[in-house]
Amino acid sequence: MRRLINSIRQRFQKMNLSQRLILNLVLVVAATIIFSGVPANFVMWRDLENQVWLRVQDAQSATQGLYEAEVTRLKKLAGLIAGRPTLYNLIQQGDVAAMGPYLTALKQESGNLDIVQVITPDLQAGDPLPGMPSPQAFLAGREPYFADFTLVGDTGRLFIIGMSQVQSREANRSILGWVIVGRELKSDYMMTLGDQTGLAQSLIVNGKRIATSLPAAPDWSLDPQSALRVETTGQACCTMGAASNQTYYIGLMPLRDANTHVVALSEVALPGSSIRQGMINAMLI
């Protein structure tokens, strides 16, 4: 018996988070039905479906919270970098040559950044990003620092951008320049979100999938009609989708910028075949 328990424990530890979630869903439903004594087959399928949709909704909520946390991180990071004494001195001296290596070091130190840039009326240093809004427009009414989802250029690249004023230490607190930090939301970030939520993660911009953790995902949403409806109405939904002979339980959720414009859709997905196979295995036990 001990050997059997150890074997089960080892198999469970080798599962990824998504597989563990599926197993837990099946076992919870199976246990409920066994102890309640009601007829198994129909009730099992019905209750499992309900549990799956609740899990998709939970993943949507968790994903929203993780995006909001990343926006807050970049906002605070822009403000912290803008307050660095070394950066302030380099701006005062107009030392562009020294500023480049210093900004590179800050980017490496901060982690998960694609852009660290300083702009003043006299200089520009750091990582260029054509198509980015001007600091004055970005921070208008939101000074001294702020972060938001930002679509850059015509290629549908989605960033979280944080900007902060660099203020003079004189009494008038005049603006000497601006610090800009940015993270592009690419497939590596989708992998991180997937690890944290247990469901495959994707970003849809203008109907096109621009980043994903879902293997062999199509270039469009798993349910294009629902995606268009969510983009138009701004209302999240849960639905079924399909790709490559696989069905998915999916959640579609709008990502809004500070002006409440829908800039992208978040898509979370749980493969239906894994759920069905888990249920079949449970019913055979």
Side-chain angles (χ1 to χ4, degrees):
M1 177 63 71
R2 182 177 298 174
R3 182 177 300 175
L4 176 61
I5 293 174
N6 288 337
S7 176
I8 293 173
R9 182 184 295 115
Q10 290 174 359
R11 289 184 181 182
F12 185 78
Q13 291 173 344
K14 291 179 180 179
M15 292 179 177
N16 60 36
L17 180 56
S18 180
Q19 291 170 329
R20 293 185 188 186
L21 288 170
I22 292 168
L23 179 60
N24 286 339
L25 287 173
V26 172
L27 292 178
V28 166
V29 172
T32 300
I33 296 193
I34 289 171
F35 287 110
S36 66
V38 297
N41 290 353
F42 172 75
V43 178
M44 246 180 150
W45 285 109
R46 184 195 64 193
D47 286 359
L48 183 59
E49 285 275 320
N50 292 338
Q51 290 292 326
V52 169
W53 288 124
L54 287 174
R55 184 67 196 92
V56 171
Q57 291 169 3
D58 288 345
Q60 282 184 307
S61 297
T63 301
Q64 181 69 52
L66 291 167
Y67 277 122
E68 290 174 356
E70 187 65 2
V71 171
T72 299
R73 183 181 79 91
L74 265 67
K75 174 183 175 180
K76 292 180 177 179
L77 189 58
L80 287 171
I81 291 176
R84 293 262 184 145
T86 300
L87 180 63
Y88 182 85
N89 292 334
L90 290 173
I91 291 175
Q92 288 282 66
Q93 297 162 10
D95 193 343
V96 178
M99 199 176 295
Y102 179 71
L103 295 178
T104 299
L106 284 178
K107 181 165 69 172
Q108 294 172 348
E109 174 188 319
S110 302
N112 298 318
L113 290 180
D114 297 291
I115 304 294
V116 178
Q117 186 181 130
V118 168
I119 297 176
T120 78
D122 303 316
L123 63 85
Q124 181 172 331
D127 305 295
L129 183 59
M132 186 170 55
S134 70
Q136 296 94 326
F138 188 85
L139 289 173
R142 302 185 176 99
E143 299 87 350
Y145 56 97
F146 183 66
D148 201 3
F149 293 108
T150 304
L151 284 171
V152 175
D154 299 325
T155 58
R157 297 170 66 193
L158 183 63
F159 286 76
I160 298 176
I161 297 291
M163 295 191 191
S164 175
Q165 297 172 344
V166 180
Q167 296 179 341
S168 169
R169 295 178 184 173
E170 303 297 329
N172 61 6
R173 304 293 289 173
S174 61
I175 299 173
L176 300 180
W178 298 269
V179 165
I180 301 166
V181 298
R183 180 177 189 178
E184 185 174 5
L185 302 184
K186 298 177 290 188
S187 291
D188 59 341
Y189 187 51
M190 297 302 102
M191 295 295 292
T192 299
L193 291 177
D195 290 342
Q196 292 175 318
T197 63
L199 273 67
Q201 295 271 348
S202 299
L203 274 178
I204 311 294
V205 174
N206 295 326
K208 181 179 179 182
R209 190 181 306 272
I210 64 167
T212 188
S213 67
L214 183 66
D219 291 338
W220 48 87
S221 170
L222 295 172
D223 183 350
Q225 290 185 343
S226 293
L228 179 61
R229 184 169 62 252
V230 172
E231 184 176 357
T232 302
T233 65
Q235 299 296 317
C237 77
C238 294
T239 183
M240 298 295 296
S244 303
N245 299 320
Q246 169 71 281
T247 58
Y248 294 89
Y249 297 84
I250 66 173
L252 290 162
M253 176 181 67
L255 295 180
R256 302 175 184 273
D257 63 17
N259 296 316
T260 72
H261 298 144
V262 176
V263 295
L265 300 182
S266 165
E267 180 187 83
V268 299
L270 191 62
S273 62
S274 300
I275 299 293
R276 290 191 295 273
Q277 188 60 53
M279 176 60 80
I280 291 169
N281 291 340
M283 294 173 65
L284 292 175
I285 294 176

